[in-house]
Amino acid sequence: MATSGVREDKYRTFLYGEGEKNTKWRYGSPPNYDDVNKLFEEGRTQVWPSGSLEEKVQNLVKTWEMEMFNKTCFDDYKSVDPKNYTFSLNGRKPVTLEEKRKLGGGYNTFLQTTLPEKFRAYNPAEETVDSAHVAFRTAFPRGFALEVLQVYSGPPVIVYKFRHWGYMEGPFKGHAATGELVELYGMSIFEVDEHMKVVKVEFFIDRGELLGGLMKGATLDGSTAEAASTCPFLRGTG
C-alpha cells in the first residue's frame, strides 16, 4: 500500500504535517515519541478497541499533553480553546494558560504544593519549565507513559482515571537511579466545547506518589548529580 510519506504518531494529532509547518516548538522541532510509545505498548494494562470512547479519550489526553509540554505559542494549540481554557490541580483555583505559564508550566504545574519550602524535595517555585524538563527527562530517559484506565463519562464532561509510569534509569535531584518502576495514578476531568476543544481541565493526584518513587536511590555527591543532570536530549517527553 502506498503511503503519503508524512510522518505520523499513532496516538497524537497536531504533531506533524502541513498544519504544523509554522508551529513554534520548545526545542526547535516536533518531539519524537518512539521510545515512550514503545514503553506504553509494553507496559499498558488496557488495549482499548479502535474507535472506542476510551481510545478517543486516551488519544485526546496524549495530544493535549504533547501540546502543553512542547508548543510555546498558545495560538498553535489545537486541542484546546486558548481563550477560554483553565487548569486546576487538586481543587485549587483554576488558572488560565498565561497564569499556568507563570507557575513554570510543564511538570511544575502538576507539582504545586503548600508544603513549607524546607520540606519540598522538589520545589516548583525554584524550577523553570526547562530545568524541570531536564530533571524528569534525565530520570526517565525512555519517557513517562500514560494510559487511561477507565472512562466514567463522555463529552462534554469527560471524567477518567489514568496511570503514568516510567523506569527511573537516571538520577533525580541528587538521588541515584534505581531502575525501578515508578507509577502515578490519578483522576481527571476534561470539559470540551461543541468543537471538541478542551476548555477546562482538572487533575487530582498525589505528587508524593511520584516524588517518593524518585527519591529511593542513594544520595549522590554534588559533582555527580550535576554531571548527571546535563543530559541534552530533551525532546522526547510529554
Side-chain angles (χ1 to χ4, degrees):
M1 179 182 294
T3 62
S4 65
V6 177
R7 179 167 185 168
E8 296 180 351
D9 186 277
K10 290 185 285 186
Y11 308 109
R12 299 164 186 84
T13 51
F14 312 132
L15 184 54
Y16 302 112
E18 187 69 15
E20 302 305 323
K21 66 179 182 180
N22 296 317
T23 295
K24 296 177 178 64
W25 296 101
R26 185 169 303 282
Y27 300 109
S29 61
N32 186 318
Y33 283 94
D34 290 350
D35 287 345
V36 76
N37 285 347
K38 184 173 185 291
L39 179 67
F40 166 71
E41 290 166 0
E42 293 174 345
R44 59 185 167 180
T45 63
Q46 306 284 348
V47 180
W48 299 115
S50 178
S52 65
L53 175 62
E54 291 84 0
E55 184 202 45
K56 291 177 181 178
V57 170
Q58 185 167 261
N59 290 351
L60 171 64
V61 177
K62 287 177 183 286
T63 297
W64 167 84
E65 191 175 67
M66 176 276 295
E67 292 199 306
M68 291 293 116
F69 275 73
N70 293 284
K71 295 183 177 181
T72 61
C73 178
F74 298 154
D75 290 339
D76 290 333
Y77 292 173
K78 299 180 179 67
S79 64
V80 309
D81 176 353
K83 293 182 179 178
N84 295 307
Y85 176 89
T86 63
F87 174 92
S88 176
L89 177 69
N90 293 338
R92 289 181 173 85
K93 178 185 176 182
V95 296
T96 64
L97 282 171
E98 190 59 50
E99 290 168 331
K100 184 168 172 278
R101 176 173 283 176
K102 291 177 181 177
L103 292 174
Y107 289 100
N108 288 332
T109 306
F110 292 92
L111 295 172
Q112 295 298 306
T113 179
T114 57
L115 281 171
E117 292 206 9
K118 64 181 179 180
F119 296 124
R120 298 181 185 183
Y122 175 93
N123 188 357
E126 297 178 348
E127 302 288 344
T128 67
V129 63
D130 290 324
S131 68
H133 199 107
V134 169
F136 284 94
R137 180 60 178 162
T138 302
F140 296 126
R142 287 188 283 161
F144 198 41
L146 165 76
E147 70 170 334
V148 165
L149 298 173
Q150 189 168 353
V151 178
Y152 299 98
S153 67
V157 180
I158 303 167
V159 181
Y160 67 94
K161 178 167 65 175
F162 66 88
R163 168 183 172 246
H164 261 297
W165 75 97
Y167 288 88
M168 190 193 177
E169 296 165 327
F172 181 81
K173 292 296 177 183
H175 293 266
T178 64
E180 294 182 2
L181 174 68
V182 178
E183 297 178 286
L184 174 67
Y185 290 85
M187 297 283 296
S188 185
I189 302 170
F190 273 40
E191 186 174 330
V192 299
D193 64 15
E194 64 273 19
H195 305 294
M196 284 300 292
K197 300 281 190 180
V198 180
V199 295
K200 182 179 180 181
V201 169
E202 296 182 73
F203 272 89
F204 299 89
I205 61 172
D206 176 5
R207 74 177 224 139
E209 184 180 12
L210 170 60
L211 296 177
L214 289 171
M215 295 184 173
K216 291 181 179 179
T219 301
L220 301 171
D221 65 53
S223 60
T224 304
E226 182 179 355
S229 68
T230 57
C231 170
F233 301 105
L234 301 175
R235 288 161 41 200
T237 191

